[in-house]
């Protein structure tokens, strides 16, 4: 268990701790001596480091992407902190808690999961209720579902993010359902819970969040349909039309072909799922973007994907607060 | 007050009633005799008609777009009903209730309005509360706001549609606000109520719903800002930043420049407003589209604007209902 | 077995034959008498018809989309042929050969299928060879694969079109493979054969070619992955990476997200598959479009989807032929 | 009043002058000593600087965005000039002429303004003539109109740029009007003068040109309509249709929704206004882009927004000049 | 020489005149008798006709697209005029003036041409001056340049339209040139005159304006470069850079690749040429569109290509005129 | 003839060799001494260098873009090789083989050319056969055609690349032609060979591959038509329709207007040409992209233009190879 995290390091401290070796470059001084510049990471951030001694041995026994135990001291260089490394050696993955190295939700994962289980146990539609019993009883799936992130970058980009995003959408859906008459509540809730389950295989997240081969080649939308199909196969009398409608909600939830949905939403419930996903992803994503920078600035920097600056407001002005 | 509506006409009946003269064409038989083919409308639909006698007088004393009193009989021709007109004369607009001729909401307009008034009277933000007091106290505005449609075609395309759409969004917003911490509830609600007020001048809707010159030339987005500005001017100390944020919500509510918003949403509240508008417009619009055709068909016809067929479901199949 | 087809009907003939009742409208003459206008279809085209006698009984006992036995005479009306129907009654589906009513390939389906079987039996990759043995041994699949069309409109839009298109692409792929070194031939051929198998469930084609609910809601791309997965499940040691690559070829074969592929092609083989599909679909589609009109005209009419006229050439001119 | 400008600094000179402190970073040498790297700007450009002494005091008493009086010497470092700063202290904004720090037009602002006033005083349309009398008599507006830039980057991006662009377009419009019969000259000229007036509030330009909150949240198009409405309100009998047409010209002048116009131009005059704006903005923008680089090169660098290189020509070649 | 034109025909008149046979359909009455419905055209419009007698002979000796001499009488049918044809026979093309059948400019072609010749004879650039001397001395080219239309539909879609459009742009260019310093006036004027010369081969316009094979296959942009190259070849010392710049102006004048220009404008002169073309095409096109319908209506119908209604204004209202 | 290439340099070696001087910057140390940092290139890559002595003379007698003879030693600096230059002087272009400095095909240019000549000599269409005899007999053209690259970056971006790409497409076309009946083989092959001939003038490639003025201003598509026209002019009886079809294939080969084709492909042969071009360009381009990086990585870096990562596969995994 890690005791020290990168965001808490202070100049002058000694460090004896495990990090992910994110980058490693062998360099050479004018006089021919070699040295190593590295980047270390954990879930709280990144720090650059330098190795002056025993360079050849350390360089040849460590690889980027591995957990390394580092012994060194924190210094300040060009206005930023830097770790002057005395020694660095590979640490076995078993010895570490991945959640220390990849950013994770700060909500209680088990409580969130329990709430989802409760919601599905109260479904009126017995086929759907049975379907989720099968899902929750599948330990491998449940574990992955509780750990996976919801994205690499845009929103809920941390361990547990998939569950957090899914639960938030489920609760939001339940707020919206009674507003319109005639919505099939259970199929909407089922669609919400299933829409992103493909992400349990779309990402790898042992030392950092990245796409898996399957994620890049097949996409979480198509993976999700396969995961669902595996469970449907176990229910003898699952109504064929409902099965197709569930798959439709999964594959259409991006809202349009150009965003990766092979078909656009064609039922009211699929349309609602798409907007609930948009709302939850946007609110979380924009807030994280606003919080990642100096929050005293009234405007964020330019958001490349959404193509705009966001306005935090000017708190000094009348009419704010 | 009309007693008979087009949707209730039956072959064989005599008719003595007021309609809108929607179309009028003078034609000629082989033998040189003139006759008049016309289309009549009221809020329940359209019917074609024909005038065989006294053609010149009737043709020269009536114009399309006017209310006309028609005396005739309902016949069937080529599988459709047709009105054989004995006489037709202009009727003064004062004598008629426009709601008989343009489709209107079937909800209680005054109750809906009262609910909106109540919601704004409970606002915590005193400036916004004051702002709406001014709006509701402006009889001319209130009357128009209660009568205007929300669109010519897409959704809530009937008298009272603007109020119905606005109230539905307001209530929906109040369901969503508590789901996320830190939303400025009053500014969101204010944005929701104001976002479409430009439509009171964007449309004309005396005999049918159509765009006004100002609507086509300036757009309801820019009209709304002017209507808001007129009221803001009356409040001495309205905070400048709040005024700008309100205008921002109005002008950004279409979500992107290509849909007519000069700027995209740049605050969380503006982003939420956009999605709440989308949800309410889509749910209402798709349902009206589904209901406008044979509801026993599992699929609707092709929706040109949304570029897809919608699925009503196959009720005979297992897994439905 | 039908003996007479619509394209061969001549004015003056008597007709006693089965057709699909494509459209049916009840109309009324000035004098109040009812009559029925209908449209009949078979695989060679459509003809309009009219029923003057016994209208009520015929109207109430037949429905559009059914097979009907028609007794009548061919007449000419406003420059086109018209069937004057004496009697019309429902015919049971068992009594008819669907291929008479839906256009079908004029190639030998069994020979085409045998050629595909032979090609896959010669594969070097034993896993892929085994995979196709399972597919061909599945009679239900094989039958559907031999019957399905490749599209509703654009190209190979006739029964057997899927097989014809698939075989043509397979042979074309085998011509292209040796041109570039290092192509994985077996995985490309496998991708070609599998890319459109979802169409066996995307279409219904009993009385005319149309989309199935599943086709419209889930798309043939996602259906195909499920069909493949069912077979892969039966092979114990199928290499995981190859399975993912096969699915990738299926889901990426439209070339870009905006055309319904959740991911674009990311391997050389997937890129080739996309272009081979494009070539075969375009050549077949453009030729059918050219042949469907007066082939003496140098230019076709405007092709809405491809947004251009096509040039057949001016055969009378020097430099042609 | 500044005597020395950045573009005139030479290595070896001593400097005692006021600049804008554009950037400021605190850094640290290996030996732990702190130093300050800064960037200074005035209307002629930017220069990097370094502070070796008294770092803490200087760092804590100056902020980016402020005017600072700098005492130092110009040196050369890595092929570029650098200011070695001995002392730096905040200078009060009153003591400086903003035009020294933000690039400004090199044309005579008062003469340009006088010319516009003359043009409007000769209008035949008395309502429009009266409208402009009100604008010119509004000192606050007139001052802002004479100072504002026309853009942050693309064209006329300097103080006085709005006036220069507006006058140039007005004169150009007067050249084009007589070419086509039936143009309403006064309404076109009025539209030209008003189309960008929103920029007086869209930008802030005290120490550098940047967007204001209102500019980013509401856009100059909507601001302009409000400024116009304020004046229209003062004219009792201003014809309603003309008012709407003027607003239409303002809101449609970007030519299409995707460029920020809520409606596209729908009158001949609005269409002309759009093109006149395009011509003047492009000619000025491309020329500035061509002039900003080595003008001996036949090709400019890549223009990101216009997505092309521009050709200056090869003057050494025959066929040039 | 035609004496009567379609727009002047009145019910009751006898007609003996030449028209283009635009459409021809053989039809049949209930009783089996054949008749012919036709459409006739000349430059002023179209009229439908019917042939009751001698149908077989007339049908077999005339073809659509030919000039026909028609003997008949004007009647009124279903509210529109109709020509009851007694006899109709092919007329030799030599006997007719094409300008009677295809709409043509109502300006004096020779005067317009003379004005262009004068403008080019005053060029300072001797190479360009020489170039145009060669063009004008080429009778075949000059004749085609004076006759060709500028488009099939959008603007200047009549004989002489190319010359009218070219001259208008030339004069407009001369008005704009002095407004900006440093424009190469002669190369701009040369570009203006040459930009659409490919249209002399892009269209055929003997009995109606349509695309030629070469026009559809190669486009007027590429044809124009070839026509220019033919003349450049005759001038021994024409500067290479100027030749390339002239071709650049031709190929870039549509402004962007998506509108058919292989490269976008990359010189100030090419940019100006593009806008001058846009202005002249739009003003002419919108005006023709406005004039083609009831000019008392304040709004035009929907313009499909420009995607909007245009506003003619409400002349009864204050603030108009 | 160069003996040493950049990719073979090793730390510690002495170098006496000719390179292209790709970049040159004059810098200055803290102590005021000047030095020169440079970049040298040949066809195998680039290396940075530094000049400490005799800086003024060397800086003033050499220019970027020139061939320079360099005397120095290879050192290692910050992990990369660096050339410490003792002397550097301009070398005359005549003394060098351009193929040493610009990357070139590693296939035998004369053999490739001979194969093309043979293919065209076997054409059945005598006019096309004659056309290519003229092309091959034109030494200037043949030399340029054998030397030109096919692109600056995307694919076949090396000397001889145009010929290699053209021959590959020709052979591929011959593989595809027999697959479809009714293809005009000779016109397709002719189109393939001619489609990119404009590239002989679109690029300059003496010291590096870059666009020519004509290439950027007129595009290879329009240049190609002119080159073809020059030869067509020499054949008296070349059929007009064939000439237009050949030009059509050239100008439409990019497939759509937005990619620079003034018209899209409108014949089967033009459609095929487009896809054959796409296949050959993509396969070559993707492979070069895959090979340019560490080929042990399963994924390439992000391909900006094609907007995706490409998958090389994981060779260690089961299911690969």
């Amino acid at each position: 268990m890690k005791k020290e995290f990168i965001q808490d390091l202070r100049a002058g401290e000694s460090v004896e701790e495990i990090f992910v070796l994110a980058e490693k470059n062998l360099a050479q001084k004018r006089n021919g001596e070699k040295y190593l510049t590295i980047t270390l990471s954990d879930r709280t951030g990144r720090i650059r480091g330098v190795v002056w001694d025993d360079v050849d041995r350390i360089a040849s026994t460590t690889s980027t992407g591995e957990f390394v135990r580092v012994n060194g001291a924190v210094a300040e260089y060009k206005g930023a902190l830097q770790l002057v490394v005395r020694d660095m050696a590979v640490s076995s993955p078993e010895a570490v808690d991945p959640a220390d190295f990849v950013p994770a939700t700060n909500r209680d994962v088990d409580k969130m999961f329990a709430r989802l289980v409760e919601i599905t146990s109260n479904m009126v539609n017995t086929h759907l209720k049975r379907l989720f019993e099968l899902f929750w009883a599948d330990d491998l799936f449940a574990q992955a579902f509780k750990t996976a992130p919801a994205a690499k970058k845009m929103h809920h980009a941390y361990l547990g993010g998939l569950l957090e995003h899914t639960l938030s959408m489920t609760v939001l859906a339940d707020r919206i359902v009674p507003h319109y008459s005639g919505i099939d509540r259970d199929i909407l809730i089922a669609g919400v819970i299933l829409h992103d389950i493909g992400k349990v295989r779309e990402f790898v997240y042992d030392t950092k969040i990245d796409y898996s081969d399957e994620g890049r080649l097949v996409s979480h939308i198509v993976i999700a349909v396969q995961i669902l199909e595996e469970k449907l196969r176990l229910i003898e009398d699952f109504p064929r039309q409902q099965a197709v409608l569930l798959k439709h909600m999964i594959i259409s939830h991006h809202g349009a072909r150009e965003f990766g949905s092979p078909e656009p939403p064609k039922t009211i419930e699929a349309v609602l799922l798409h907007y609930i996903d948009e709302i939850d992803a946007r609110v979380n994503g924009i807030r994280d973007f606003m919080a990642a920078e100096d929050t005293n600035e009234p405007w964020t920097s330019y958001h490349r994907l959404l193509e705009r600056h966001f306005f935090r407001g000017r708190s000094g002005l009348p009419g704010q607060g």
Side-chain angles (χ1 to χ4, degrees), chain A:
Chain A
M1 175 84 182
K2 265 173 79 93
K3 282 170 205 144
E4 266 192 312
F5 287 92
I6 286 168
Q7 71 182 5
D8 304 322
L9 297 180
R10 293 290 171 268
E13 292 185 349
S14 274
V15 174
E16 170 79 36
E17 191 49 272
I18 294 175
F19 301 98
V20 171
L21 179 59
E23 291 174 24
K24 188 185 70 167
N25 292 296
L26 192 65
Q28 199 168 16
K29 296 191 229 175
R30 277 276 175 95
N31 62 14
E33 280 179 58
K34 290 183 191 159
Y35 64 100
L36 213 53
T37 64
I38 61 174
T39 304
L40 300 167
S41 71
D42 64 20
R43 70 170 160 80
T44 69
R46 304 182 135 228
I47 188 170
R48 293 179 155 276
V50 66
V51 185
W52 300 114
D53 304 317
D54 220 355
V55 171
D56 280 329
R57 181 184 54 83
I58 291 178
S60 63
T61 58
T62 56
S63 306
T64 59
E66 288 183 309
F67 295 109
V68 287
R69 172 165 296 275
V70 174
N71 175 295
V74 184
E76 200 164 3
Y77 179 58
K78 290 199 181 173
L81 294 183
Q82 188 191 55
L83 207 55
V84 181
V85 174
R86 274 183 298 266
D87 201 2
M88 178 168 82
V90 170
S91 175
S92 87
E94 293 77 44
V96 305
D97 178 355
D100 285 344
F101 298 91
V102 185
T105 180
N106 43 34
R107 314 237 341 239
D108 184 320
V109 166
D110 289 317
K111 272 194 195 158
M112 290 195 287
F113 187 72
R115 187 136 175 233
L116 259 196
V117 172
E118 193 204 338
I119 289 169
T120 57
S121 71
N122 289 326
M123 280 180 162
V124 174
N125 181 318
T126 52
H127 298 112
L128 294 174
K129 191 173 161 180
R130 175 78 190 118
L131 175 67
F132 285 104
E133 285 166 3
L134 287 172
F135 268 115
W136 307 145
D138 175 344
D139 280 350
L140 228 64
F141 172 82
Q143 194 50 44
F145 186 63
K146 282 149 86 170
T147 316
K152 185 176 169 187
K153 271 193 193 161
M154 282 298 291
H155 68 99
H156 302 91
Y158 40 74
L159 299 188
L162 172 60
L163 176 56
E164 187 181 322
H165 175 48
T166 301
L167 176 60
S168 176
M169 282 176 63
T170 307
V171 175
L172 182 55
D174 247 348
R175 288 177 172 275
I176 293 174
V177 161
H179 187 62
Y180 296 106
S181 64
I183 305 294
D184 184 332
R185 186 259 187 196
D186 283 359
I187 207 135
L188 174 59
I189 297 293
V192 165
I193 299 177
L194 297 173
H195 84 291
D196 264 355
I197 52 170
K199 288 182 175 171
V200 302
R201 279 168 25 198
E202 190 180 35
F203 295 107
V204 289
Y205 36 84
D206 40 355
T207 60
K208 64 168 183 170
I209 297 174
D210 207 348
Y211 286 93
S212 68
D213 292 352
E214 191 182 7
R216 271 191 178 144
L217 290 169
V218 181
S219 93
H220 72 270
I221 273 191
V222 177
I223 297 172
V225 171
Q226 296 177 69
I227 294 177
L228 169 58
E229 179 67 14
E230 274 174 52
K231 293 289 178 272
L232 288 176
R233 188 182 312 257
L234 305 176
I235 306 176
E236 229 168 277
D237 59 346
F238 200 94
R240 198 171 147 62
Q241 184 174 237
Q242 274 189 28
V244 168
L245 285 174
L246 277 182
K247 289 173 192 170
H248 174 64
M249 297 185 86
I250 289 172
I251 67 122
S252 71
H253 81 265
H254 285 185
R257 288 195 182 83
E258 68 213 79
F259 301 120
S261 273
E263 297 292 337
K266 296 178 178 177
T267 65
I268 294 277
E269 288 81 10
V271 167
L272 280 176
L273 168 55
H274 167 61
Y275 286 121
I276 291 168
D277 188 22
E278 283 284 296
I279 289 175
D280 202 66
R282 284 285 175 272
V283 168
N284 178 286
I286 296 171
R287 280 186 169 174
D288 281 3
F289 187 72
M290 284 178 161
E293 302 172 325
D294 178 354
T295 55
N296 289 322
E297 285 291 314
W299 289 93
T300 66
S301 61
Y302 190 75
H303 193 298
R304 305 248 159 248
L305 205 89
L306 299 180
E307 296 182 316
R308 67 195 93 156
H309 301 263
F310 285 95
F311 188 56
R312 296 189 187 89
R314 287 183 191 273
S315 48
L317 288 194
Q320 187 70 2

